[in-house]
Every structure is written in structure tokens, then in C-alpha cells.
């Protein structure tokens, strides 16, 4: 199962290179999209339906002006909401992930240019647990995550592509939601962060 998942997400990232260029993906189940947009600091009046590639284009223009993507796209997948931030990283912040998990769970995967990849997890807003690429396993992992780590390359000296695929596989195992091309191409709700 692990090898299949890792292979799937390696291929997914090759096909969806926009995500691999720099994206923070955050799965959460404790609030609706409008409340989540507020947690991100988004302008609620800026809501517009678009695909990930369209949101990526807007974020690319924003990053040239302000060094941040300032775009967050929300989609629903099963019982989870997913926030996608092209060229963004707010979902990694304690205030955002904690706010999204205030009465539930949130898991965030940052795929960044260079070596700043990481996974964060929060339950009930009690503070996030973060694993960075190339981190060794130090101390206890929250049990809700630990049970899903078997066979995944999250800790230690791991190739970047293997780590990113393992991080997305961990999010899938935790949420039960598999990212796929069809879901990415759907129209989701985009907000601008000001």
C-alpha cells in the first residue's frame, strides 16, 4: 500500500508541476469555507470560482508584486475541506492551522521551492506538531498521525521527491481523501488575502 501511494503521488506531482513549484495544502474538518477564509485573513468579498491553475496564475502575479501568493483556493473533498495556497504558506502557521482545527483536525503539507518542505498537524487547536524535510524522529508523534506513518519516508535523510510524495500520502491516509487531476481541475472558491 505504501509503495503504491508514494508512486501515485510522485506521478501526481510530475503531472501537476504547479503544485510542486510551491504550494501549501491544508485539509481541515472543523469549520466551513467562509470561516476558514477568515482564519486565513482573506477578503470575503473577493470570492470567485476558479480552478487551481487559474488561482496559480493569480498567485504568480501577486508574488511578483509582494513576494507572497496572497491567494487561497478552497475545495470540498468528502467530509474534508482543502485550502490550496499557490506560493503560500499561511496554512503552516500556528494561528491558521490552530484556527482551522479549533474543534477538529487539520493537517497541512507545504511543498516549497528549495528545502523548506514540511508537514504540520493540529487537533482541537492545541498547538501544531511539525515535521520538516530531513528532520530526524525526535520525541513522540501524535498518535493520530503516528498510526499512518508505516512505510512512509517522512523522517531522516530522504530524497525530496520521496518526502513530498510521502507527505501527501500521509495526508491521504489521515483524511481518506486522494488528490487527483479531476478534483484539481474543478471550480473551487478563491479568496484574495489582503
Amino acid at each position: 500500500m505504501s509503495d503504491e501511494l508514494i508512486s501515485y503521488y510522485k506521478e501526481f506531482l510530475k503531472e501537476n508541476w504547479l503544485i510542486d513549484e510551491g504550494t501549501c495544502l491544508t485539509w481541515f474538518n472543523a469549520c466551513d469555507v467562509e470561516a476558514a477564509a477568515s482564519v486565513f485573513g482573506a477578503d470575503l468579498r473577493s470570492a470567485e470560482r476558479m480552478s487551481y491553475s487559474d488561482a496559480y496564475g493569480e498567485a504568480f502575479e501577486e508574488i511578483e508584486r509582494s513576494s507572497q501568493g496572497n491567494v487561497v483556493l478552497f475545495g470540498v473533498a468528502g467530509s474534508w475541506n482543502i485550502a490550496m495556497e499557490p506560493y503560500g504558506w499561511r496554512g503552516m502557521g500556528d494561528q491558521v492551522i490552530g484556527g482551522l482545527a479549533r474543534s477538529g483536525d487539520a493537517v497541512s503539507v507545504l511543498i516549497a521551492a528549495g528545502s523548506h518542505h514540511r508537514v504540520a498537524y493540529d487537533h482541537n487547536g492545541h498547538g501544531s506538531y511539525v515535521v520538516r524535510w530531513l528532520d530526524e524522529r525526535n520525541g513522540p508523534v501524535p498518535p493520530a498521525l503516528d498510526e499512518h506513518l508505516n512505510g512512509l519516508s517522512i523522517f531522516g535523510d530522504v530524497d525530496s521527491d520521496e518526502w513530498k510524495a510521502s507527505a501527501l500520502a500521509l495526508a491521504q491516509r489521515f483524511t481518506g481523501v486522494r488528490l487527483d487531476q479531476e478534483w484539481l481541475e474543478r471550480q473551487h472558491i478563491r479568496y484574495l488575502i489582503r
Side-chain angles (χ1 to χ4, degrees):
M1 172 80 172
S2 297
D3 290 343
E4 182 273 326
L5 266 180
I6 292 169
S7 294
Y8 173 82
Y9 280 112
K10 281 182 178 179
E11 191 61 31
F12 176 81
L13 288 170
K14 282 181 192 170
E15 292 173 6
N16 297 286
W17 60 270
L18 297 177
I19 289 176
D20 204 25
E21 287 285 305
T23 301
C24 187
L25 299 124
T26 306
W27 293 253
F28 58 97
N29 63 2
C31 62
D32 65 24
V33 166
E34 193 168 287
S38 293
V39 170
F40 274 89
D43 176 357
L44 298 181
R45 297 167 299 176
S46 69
E48 187 176 322
R49 296 195 69 75
M50 65 178 58
S51 68
Y52 179 80
S53 62
D54 292 334
Y56 175 91
E58 283 191 351
F60 187 78
E61 291 173 12
E62 278 290 316
I63 203 163
E64 290 182 334
R65 283 194 291 268
S66 68
S67 78
Q68 292 189 46
N70 295 323
V71 171
V72 60
L73 187 70
F74 292 97
V76 176
S79 62
W80 291 82
N81 292 302
I82 303 174
M84 298 170 282
E85 300 172 82
Y87 294 114
W89 51 86
R90 286 177 178 86
M92 276 291 140
D94 287 338
Q95 187 174 7
V96 171
I97 197 168
L100 296 175
R102 191 161 289 132
S103 59
D105 293 296
V107 63
S108 189
V109 174
L110 176 63
I111 296 172
S115 62
H116 301 288
H117 318 307
R118 59 190 73 178
V119 172
Y121 166 74
D122 197 318
H123 174 70
N124 288 337
H126 291 293
S128 61
Y129 174 81
V130 178
V131 178
R132 290 166 187 79
W133 178 43
L134 302 177
D135 276 357
E136 294 297 327
R137 186 175 183 140
N138 293 321
V141 175
L145 277 188
D146 199 30
E147 67 184 79
H148 299 293
L149 288 172
N150 189 33
L152 299 179
S153 301
I154 296 291
F155 296 104
D157 188 11
V158 179
D159 168 81
S160 176
D161 291 338
E162 181 85 9
W163 192 94
K164 292 180 286 188
S166 289
L168 292 172
L170 174 61
Q172 178 181 323
R173 284 181 177 179
F174 184 78
T175 64
V177 173
R178 177 176 280 214
L179 293 177
D180 61 32
Q181 188 66 36
E182 179 186 331
W183 190 85
L184 274 183
E185 291 173 357
R186 284 188 208 150
Q187 299 287 300
H188 301 292
I189 302 171
R190 183 275 284 139
Y191 291 92
L192 299 175
I193 299 170
R194 298 289 178 215

